[in-house]
């Protein structure tokens, strides 16, 4: 059953929940083991067309928008991303719907049997390798037209890098996972560029010159021609406001085949413009390879992109937003996005992150936009930093009011008691924390609906004081 399958999965080495210093890179990242596992279940990765996306920042957004565009064109579209918000089955989706519990359980059973037969020769597959194999097997058996695949960590040695994609794309590269990928942007770029393949289209967003030089060099090594947004592909963006959409960003992408003019970016934040441009460039590259993707259908699909933890509103009174931002650059982009897209008087930020994060720069970015901060930790995150330590560290960068809460539920209730009608609560710092918030509010909504109450306020009896934004 599913509970047993998940218990077996939890016993696998899970890189997402381990401190980098404890990782044995040579034993954990082995493509030979991944290839052996896939061969044992019939090499499903050879049964479908794919788009492969790597990068430090924005790769999940690019995958979501690319999949939405392809689905809008009528293609049966698989999507494999990580991490998840509430349920691990969210990582494997077909036409926007997560894999069913029965299908997931059946796939894990078959993969477990194959893994047992291989453990003596190539070792025990990791958590991510098992999930990747399950995704590929599901997409093959469901006969998808395309699968959009997000790398997990890096690119060259990532478990997903057994594909021969139609298009390989690289999003913004920044310094992250330095203990594993390298301590310079150029070294990290070399790892990400490992997804480039002979014969596959290679795309990237604008990068610093030294990073771009590495990407171009790696593309040449494998016989691929790298095309960069805004350099080799005509791209522009603008921020505007309209009665219909409110504040939003529009992008234009022009090639000999496609003319996408002033399409609204479906995800909030000016930083999403380049991600949207890359998604449209991916679809254009597929058109160049003979696949039909009418511009009107692409635009309609793009508009239907789900937010899924990217400045997503999960409650109305008080307004609660979640975002999976987990590094300084993402936090800065988030603060700017809130300011551009959300009207409010005061913002209470509920924050928690992993202990190995570069926390001071993140806290400095939060201090720029938050009126009050409540530090907490995700219930299931074994790597979470102690909220009291976060309070202490925050005092190093800001004199603003901050406090610790032992759980996210306590943090949200405390935040709700301090907000008025025109204030907002923002839960951020990790996908684990954002997902737990979404799960808590769904549980609250179900409880209220079961009791026959309208879903209105988090704490209906509490009348929070209005605070001025002075």
């Amino acid at each position: 059953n599913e509970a047993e399958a998940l218990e077996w999965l939890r016993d696998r080495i899970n890189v997402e929940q381990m401190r980098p210093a404890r990782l044995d890179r040579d034993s954990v990242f082995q493509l030979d083991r991944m290839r052996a596992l896939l061969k044992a279940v019939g090499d499903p990765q050879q049964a479908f067309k794919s788009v492969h996306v790597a990068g430090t920042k924005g790769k999940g957004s690019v995958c979501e928008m690319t999949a939405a565009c392809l689905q809008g064109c009528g293609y049966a579209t698989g999507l494999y991303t990580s991490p998840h918000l509430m349920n691990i089955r969210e990582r494997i989706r077909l036409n926007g719907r997560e894999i069913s519990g029965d299908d997931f359980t059946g796939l894990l059973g078959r993969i477990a049997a194959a893994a047992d037969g291989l453990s003596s020769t190539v070792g025990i597959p990791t958590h991510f390798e098992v999930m990747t194999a399950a995704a590929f097997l599901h997409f093959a058996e469901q006969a998808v037209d395309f699968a959009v695949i997000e790398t997990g960590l890096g690119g060259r040695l990532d478990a997903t890098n057994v594909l021969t994609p139609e298009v390989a794309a690289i999003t913004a590269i920044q310094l992250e996972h330095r203990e594993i990928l390298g301590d310079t942007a150029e070294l990290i770029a070399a790892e990400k560029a490992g997804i480039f393949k002979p014969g596959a289209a290679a795309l990237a967003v604008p990068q610093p010159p030294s990073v771009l030089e590495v990407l171009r060099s790696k593309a040449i090594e494998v016989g691929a021609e790298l095309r960069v947004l805004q350099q080799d592909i005509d791209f522009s963006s603008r921020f505007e406001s309209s009665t219909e959409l409110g504040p939003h960003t529009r992008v234009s992408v022009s090639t000999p085949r496609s003319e996408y003019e002033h399409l609204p970016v479906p995800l909030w934040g000016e930083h999403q413009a380049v991600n949207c441009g890359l998604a449209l460039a991916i679809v254009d590259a597929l058109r160049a390879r003979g696949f039909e993707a009418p511009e009107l259908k692409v635009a309609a699909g793009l508009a239907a992109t789900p937010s899924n933890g990217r400045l997503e509103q999960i409650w109305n009174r008080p307004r609660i937003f979640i975002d999976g931002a987990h590094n300084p650059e993402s936090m800065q982009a988030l603060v700017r996005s809130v300011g551009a897209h959300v009207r409010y008087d005061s913002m209470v930020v509920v924050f928690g992150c992993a202990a190995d994060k570069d926390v001071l720069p993140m806290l400095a970015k939060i201090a720029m936009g938050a009126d009050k901060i409540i530090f907490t930790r995700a219930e299931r995150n074994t790597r979470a930093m102690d909220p009291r330590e976060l309070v202490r560290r925050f005092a190093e960068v800001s004199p603003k009011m901050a406090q610790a809460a032992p759980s996210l539920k306590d943090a949200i209730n405390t935040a709700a008691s301090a907000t008025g009608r025109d204030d907002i609560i923002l839960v951020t710092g990790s996908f684990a924390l954002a997902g737990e918030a979404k799960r808590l509010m769904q549980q609250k909504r179900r409880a209220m609906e079961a009791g026959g109450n309208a879903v209105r306020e988090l704490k209906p009896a509490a009348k929070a004081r209005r605070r001025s934004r002075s």
Side-chain angles (χ1 to χ4, degrees), residues 358-375:
D358 189 10
V359 68
L360 284 180
M362 279 205 291
L363 297 180
K365 302 302 181 187
I366 293 171
M368 293 170 57
D371 296 285
K372 181 179 179 180
I373 301 93
I374 303 173
F375 293 109

Side-chain angles (χ1 to χ4, degrees), residues 221-413:
E221 282 182 19
V222 300
E225 180 186 359
L226 179 65
R227 299 173 68 234
V228 181
L229 209 64
Q230 217 166 29
Q231 295 185 20
D232 308 301
I233 302 170
D234 189 11
F235 167 78
S236 63
S237 66
R238 73 185 190 204
F239 187 80
E240 63 179 49
S241 184
S242 68
T243 304
E244 179 187 4
L245 297 176
H248 64 282
T249 306
R250 289 181 180 269
V251 298
S252 296
V253 174
S254 179
T255 75
R257 292 161 301 278
S258 307
E259 198 70 43
Y260 302 112
E261 290 191 352
H262 311 304
L263 296 187
V265 178
L267 302 177
W268 280 357
E270 289 185 74
H271 63 289
Q272 293 288 2
V274 70
N275 296 329
C276 184
L278 183 59
L280 292 171
I282 290 170
V283 176
D284 174 73
L286 291 173
R287 294 184 78 180
R289 299 171 75 85
F291 298 101
E292 290 188 12
E295 291 160 344
L296 290 177
K297 291 185 177 181
V298 170
L302 178 67
T305 304
S307 53
N308 289 340
R310 296 169 178 85
L311 200 48
E312 177 185 3
Q313 184 172 349
I314 60 170
W315 199 261
N316 293 326
R317 294 178 62 184
R319 287 177 293 164
I320 301 177
F321 295 84
I322 59 172
D323 193 278
H326 58 276
N327 61 38
E329 294 81 8
S330 297
M331 201 60 62
Q332 181 177 16
L334 172 61
V335 170
R336 292 184 63 183
S337 299
V338 172
H341 292 276
V342 184
R343 300 186 67 175
Y344 63 94
D345 281 350
S346 179
M347 177 167 70
V348 180
V349 172
V350 176
F351 180 89
C353 69
D356 58 348
K357 289 293 182 180
D358 189 10
V359 68
L360 284 180
M362 279 205 291
L363 297 180
K365 302 302 181 187
I366 293 171
M368 293 170 57
D371 296 285
K372 181 179 179 180
I373 301 93
I374 303 173
F375 293 109
T376 188
R377 62 188 301 161
E379 182 181 28
R380 300 176 185 177
N381 187 357
T382 57
R383 297 166 53 212
M385 184 176 287
D386 189 312
R388 294 166 297 182
E389 175 65 12
L390 284 169
V391 171
R392 188 186 70 78
R393 301 292 295 275
F394 185 72
E396 298 177 27
V397 298
S398 174
K400 288 187 175 180
M401 183 185 304
Q403 67 186 88
S407 71
L408 178 58
K409 186 175 182 179
D410 291 328
I412 291 177
N413 282 329

Side-chain angles (χ1 to χ4, degrees), residues 111-193:
I111 292 168
D116 288 344
L118 295 169
S119 59
S120 61
T121 56
V122 295
I124 300 172
T126 66
H127 184 283
F128 188 73
E129 288 168 346
V130 169
M131 287 299 299
T132 303
F136 291 175
L137 195 53
H138 185 61
F139 296 154
E141 294 184 347
Q142 296 299 315
V144 300
D145 298 311
F146 287 103
V148 180
I149 308 296
E150 178 188 5
T151 60
L153 179 63
R156 182 176 63 91
L157 296 177
D158 188 73
T160 61
N161 200 29
V162 294
L163 297 166
T164 302
E166 297 292 323
V167 184
I170 306 290
T171 65
I173 291 176
Q174 297 165 348
L175 291 174
E176 194 171 45
H177 303 300
R178 282 174 280 189
E179 302 90 339
I180 301 170
L181 301 178
D183 57 6
T184 68
E186 292 75 21
L187 288 173
I188 293 172
E191 291 294 319
K192 306 287 187 184

Side-chain angles (χ1 to χ4, degrees), residues 48-88:
F48 52 82
K49 305 290 185 182
S50 63
V51 171
H52 202 187
V53 182
T56 307
K57 178 183 173 185
K59 63 183 186 290
S61 298
V62 170
C63 287
E64 293 279 2
M65 287 187 275
T66 301
C69 289
L70 293 174
Q71 188 178 339
C73 294
Y75 290 111
T77 307
L79 178 61
Y80 178 54
T81 60
S82 59
H84 59 278
L85 279 173
M86 297 185 296
N87 187 321
I88 196 167

